[in-house]
Amino acid sequence: MVALTDKTEKRLTIQTAEIAQDTTAIRSLDWDRDRFDIEFGLQNGTTYNSFLIRGEQIALVDTSHEKFRKLYFDILTGLINPTDIDYLIVSHTEPDHSGLVKDLLQMAPEITVVASKVAIQFLEDLVHQPFKRKIVKNGDRLDLGNGHEIEFVIAPNLHWPDTIFSFDHKTQTLYTCDAFGMHYCSDSTFDEDLKTIEADFHYYYECLMGPNARSVLSALKRMGELPSVKMIATGHGPLLYHNVEELTGRYRNWSQNQTKAETSIGVFYVSEYGYSDRLAQAIVNGISKTGVGVEVVDLGSGVDLQELRELVARCSGLVIGVPPASGAANIQAALSTILGSANEKQGIGIFETGGGDDEPIDPLLSKFRNLGLTNVFPEIRIKQTPTENIYKLCEEAGTDLGQWVTRDRSIKAMKSLGADLDKALGRLSGGLYIITAKKGEVASAMLASWVAQASFKPLGFSIAVAKDRAIESLMQVGDRFVLNVLEEGNYQKLMRHFLKRFAPGADRFEGVKTQSAENGAPILGDALAYIECEVVSRMDCGDHWAVYSTVYAGRVSKPEALTAVHHRKVGNHY
């Protein structure tokens, strides 16, 4: 379960710590950030970690988010004159780690930027000025002197295509940027309290690393060729020192399980074009909620076409982010390879990426339809900067595709339970409720019957929420929602409405009389009663989350009426 840290005010702070010989961590603490790339909800803030290594020459590993510009440079210049820095190692170019690269190069233009070839290409578009560069490949080394010899490990797709790890042989510290990190902000520099951070560690893996499980395993294999790793200096959250073996082992186990998934979906897009990265991530999050394996491929990163053919052939579903019409020849070759490898048993979904030069979406979709593929969700068209609702639509589209490719497995599972046990379990009854929630501009709802009071002090109850429910993303720890109680004899209309299958992004409340609760969630006008609630904790129960919430407001509209009751006959599906 994920627990909330204490928060008293919105704040940004900087922490420095000597983490190893000649090595200083500069941690930018973003205490109250609650969203990451819109679709990634945060409960405990995050950090952006940067590192200074002093050998005979000096290297800075990554910078910080641009929101920390003044704080970061006040600290950095207090530690060292930026013109004394010889190398800037860019682990990858996502703005939360490279947001201050341009500023640093303006201060110290003689710095040599060390990065992968793809990262250097991205940086050219980011800094818009000439800079010294050193492109590194797997196994390359950079000798800083005094024993600080840095060996580079290429780790593409963790979670950007340009990622590298950097290993300092003297301190046995591996700098991994996003990999092995977590969005967790606290004063603790290291991972002393595993119990406190492990839920956030797992959630981060599921959102960012799980869809790239094969890349995780490749990176772990390369890490195994290094001498013993004593510390992992991550780009987000506490550094791993006390639990390195345990937590890298979890990455290995999770990734092995992911790659063994019976069913997988391939998501193909061109990174750094339009809004493709965040749109693809939202779709991947939706797919992952269904327990389906995901393989993410950046078509602009020099994909091996034979490997691409094999990947497409083993997928049950395909998602294509529309590439630029004027894209490079390798991108067009990769797209042609996908078309040539697809088959009629697969599902397809296509989304525009909003780059201003998108390949026309309709002719591309027609090519897949002509091959016999099923168009599982309506094409997603991006005509303006994506809003929270667009990212939610993408997540729901991904979930629809995940459910489509597992439909046969779901039917088989329904038939697997013994008849007597199935019927006996089905005699567990419950009330009928509608859960409604709103976060920002995104609102959702679901019909629920697995609801039970769980405590008196504090007043609290539990709800079982299927992991692939659209509303699940709005019921994280700290989120607020409304439990609407349905009335016996007057529930059929609402039940029918909220039981129907909604298209991705559809308004769940169209045609339903509502008013807003204090927490912003809709109250149903025809509900017998409503209760305003806040999520306190969540427990993983296989295909459901058991969500424990406390209540702080409520009202009954008809004191003499009874709660609607739901009687089932079977226990292995709703």
Side-chain angles (χ1 to χ4, degrees):
M1 288 182 276
V2 180
L4 285 173
T5 54
D6 293 331
K7 299 175 183 176
T8 56
E9 60 180 352
K10 299 279 185 181
R11 56 185 174 132
L12 306 175
T13 61
I14 297 277
Q15 177 201 71
T16 61
E18 300 303 312
I19 60 170
Q21 187 174 350
D22 309 320
T23 308
T24 305
I26 307 171
R27 303 178 67 235
S28 302
L29 277 60
D30 193 348
W31 291 90
D32 300 307
R33 183 166 182 175
D34 62 359
R35 306 298 292 174
F36 205 88
D37 285 352
I38 298 181
E39 72 281 351
F40 189 168
L42 307 185
Q43 304 304 329
N44 292 312
T46 192
T47 74
Y48 317 98
N49 303 334
S50 174
F51 306 93
L52 193 63
I53 306 171
R54 303 172 190 259
E56 294 174 3
Q57 294 180 299
I58 297 170
L60 181 68
V61 181
D62 297 320
T63 60
S64 185
H65 195 290
E66 63 179 358
K67 70 171 70 175
F68 282 88
R69 180 175 285 110
K70 185 178 187 306
L71 285 171
Y72 181 84
F73 283 115
D74 284 348
I75 292 294
L76 182 65
T77 54
L79 293 170
I80 191 171
N81 185 334
T83 59
D84 290 336
I85 299 172
D86 298 285
Y87 298 100
L88 171 62
I89 298 173
V90 176
S91 302
H92 85 171
T93 53
E94 195 174 13
D96 53 320
H97 303 289
S98 62
L100 301 178
V101 168
K102 183 176 181 179
D103 301 79
L104 181 62
L105 291 178
Q106 289 174 344
M107 292 179 182
E110 295 304 309
I111 288 176
T112 297
V113 177
V114 181
S116 68
K117 181 179 179 179
V118 178
I120 293 294
Q121 293 170 344
F122 288 167
L123 284 171
E124 289 173 341
D125 295 329
L126 179 69
V127 303
H128 302 294
Q129 68 183 64
F131 60 89
K132 295 182 177 180
R133 76 277 309 272
K134 179 180 176 65
I135 295 174
V136 293
K137 302 184 295 296
N138 195 66
D140 286 354
R141 297 192 179 206
L142 175 64
D143 192 350
L144 300 178
N146 293 336
H148 292 285
E149 187 175 24
I150 310 299
E151 181 174 349
F152 298 100
V153 176
I154 300 299
N157 302 320
L158 299 183
H159 71 114
W160 273 30
D162 58 351
T163 302
I164 59 171
F165 297 167
S166 308
F167 180 71
D168 186 343
H169 280 263
K170 181 168 185 175
T171 61
Q172 296 178 290
T173 300
L174 183 65
Y175 301 90
T176 61
C177 201
D178 284 342
F180 307 106
M182 68 197 82
H183 289 307
Y184 188 90
C185 185
S186 76
D187 289 318
S188 297
T189 303
F190 297 104
D191 57 333
E192 296 98 336
D193 189 348
L194 179 58
K195 185 176 180 181
T196 298
I197 64 174
E198 60 185 351
D200 292 271
F201 183 80
H202 192 196
Y203 179 55
Y204 181 96
Y205 171 88
E206 286 186 326
C207 290
L208 293 183
M209 299 297 152
N212 300 293
R214 293 182 188 276
S215 297
V216 171
L217 293 175
S218 295
L220 286 167
K221 182 178 180 180
R222 289 179 176 140
M223 284 169 56
E225 298 169 1
L226 298 170
S228 176
V229 176
K230 185 177 180 181
M231 181 195 309
I232 294 181
T234 61
H236 294 294
L239 315 187
L240 309 188
Y241 179 76
H242 302 281
N243 302 283
V244 171
E245 186 174 347
E246 169 66 24
L247 293 177
T248 54
R250 293 187 188 187
Y251 256 50
R252 178 174 286 102
N253 290 337
W254 294 334
S255 298
Q256 287 173 340
N257 290 337
Q258 184 87 344
T259 57
K260 290 176 183 176
E262 296 178 9
T263 309
S264 64
I265 292 171
V267 178
F268 308 91
Y269 68 103
V270 178
S271 180
E272 282 285 274
Y273 172 67
Y275 304 96
S276 59
D277 292 285
R278 293 195 292 176
L279 294 166
Q281 184 63 53
I283 293 171
V284 166
N285 289 348
I287 297 169
S288 298
K289 290 171 71 169
T290 66
V292 172
V294 187
E295 305 221 27
V296 180
V297 178
D298 173 17
L299 299 180
S301 62
V303 179
D304 181 282
L305 296 184
Q306 180 56 38
E307 291 181 1
L308 185 60
R309 289 187 193 94
E310 294 172 359
L311 190 158
V312 172
R314 65 174 175 261
C315 287
S316 299
L318 308 174
V319 178
I320 310 294
V322 176
S326 57
N330 66 309
I331 295 174
Q332 297 302 322
L335 187 58
S336 296
T337 299
I338 295 171
L339 280 162
S341 307
N343 65 73
E344 70 279 0
K345 294 182 179 180
Q346 295 169 321
I348 181 70
I350 298 183
F351 66 99
E352 290 183 336
T353 47
D357 183 36
D358 286 10
E359 184 95 18
I361 193 170
D362 294 310
L364 182 59
L365 180 58
S366 293
K367 290 177 182 179
F368 283 102
R369 283 176 169 164
N370 291 339
L371 292 171
L373 281 76
T374 301
N375 187 26
V376 177
F377 59 78
E379 58 275 15
I380 299 171
R381 301 177 187 270
I382 306 298
K383 301 304 179 187
Q384 58 188 8
T385 301
T387 61
E388 291 185 23
N389 273 324
I390 290 296
Y391 287 113
K392 186 62 177 170
L393 182 157
C394 289
E395 180 186 279
E396 293 175 10
T399 299
D400 279 2
L401 181 55
Q403 291 172 339
W404 185 86
V405 301
T406 57
R407 62 199 184 285
D408 292 339
R409 187 175 72 190
S410 299
I411 294 171
K412 183 179 179 181
M414 288 181 189
K415 298 178 179 179
S416 64
L417 198 61
D420 288 340
L421 175 57
D422 190 13
K423 292 176 182 177
L425 187 59
R427 292 310 187 266
L428 294 177
S429 61
L432 280 174
Y433 312 89
I434 306 293
I435 310 296
T436 58
K438 186 174 184 180
K439 184 184 290 185
E441 61 184 42
V442 176
S444 193
M446 79 166 199
L447 180 71
S449 61
W450 296 0
V451 177
Q453 186 164 348
S455 61
F456 289 126
K457 295 182 180 180
L459 286 173
F461 66 97
S462 65
I463 311 171
V465 180
K467 290 181 176 179
D468 60 359
R469 290 282 192 174
I471 201 171
E472 183 272 338
S473 301
L474 306 181
M475 297 185 70
Q476 305 295 317
V477 173
D479 287 345
R480 295 189 169 194
F481 65 94
V482 166
L483 178 72
N484 296 272
V485 183
L486 300 190
E487 179 188 356
E488 182 65 39
N490 186 34
Y491 64 85
Q492 289 86 355
K493 184 178 179 180
L494 284 173
M495 186 176 76
R496 282 196 300 269
H497 176 83
F498 288 103
L499 266 180
K500 68 184 180 184
R501 190 172 186 89
F502 291 92
D507 180 2
R508 268 68 171 170
F509 301 98
E510 184 177 1
V512 177
K513 184 170 62 176
T514 66
Q515 65 185 71
S516 294
E518 289 182 14
N519 63 26
I523 298 171
L524 303 184
D526 291 329
L528 167 62
Y530 74 90
I531 305 169
E532 296 193 46
C533 324
E534 180 173 343
V535 178
V536 174
S537 62
R538 294 162 36 120
M539 185 172 71
D540 192 337
C541 299
D543 56 2
H544 283 68
W545 290 105
V547 179
Y548 172 71
S549 306
T550 54
V551 303
Y552 55 88
R555 186 175 180 181
V556 179
S557 62
K558 298 180 182 178
E560 72 284 356
L562 297 176
T563 301
V565 179
H566 178 48
H567 295 288
R568 296 184 299 159
K569 293 185 177 181
V570 292
N572 68 349
H573 59 278
Y574 296 122

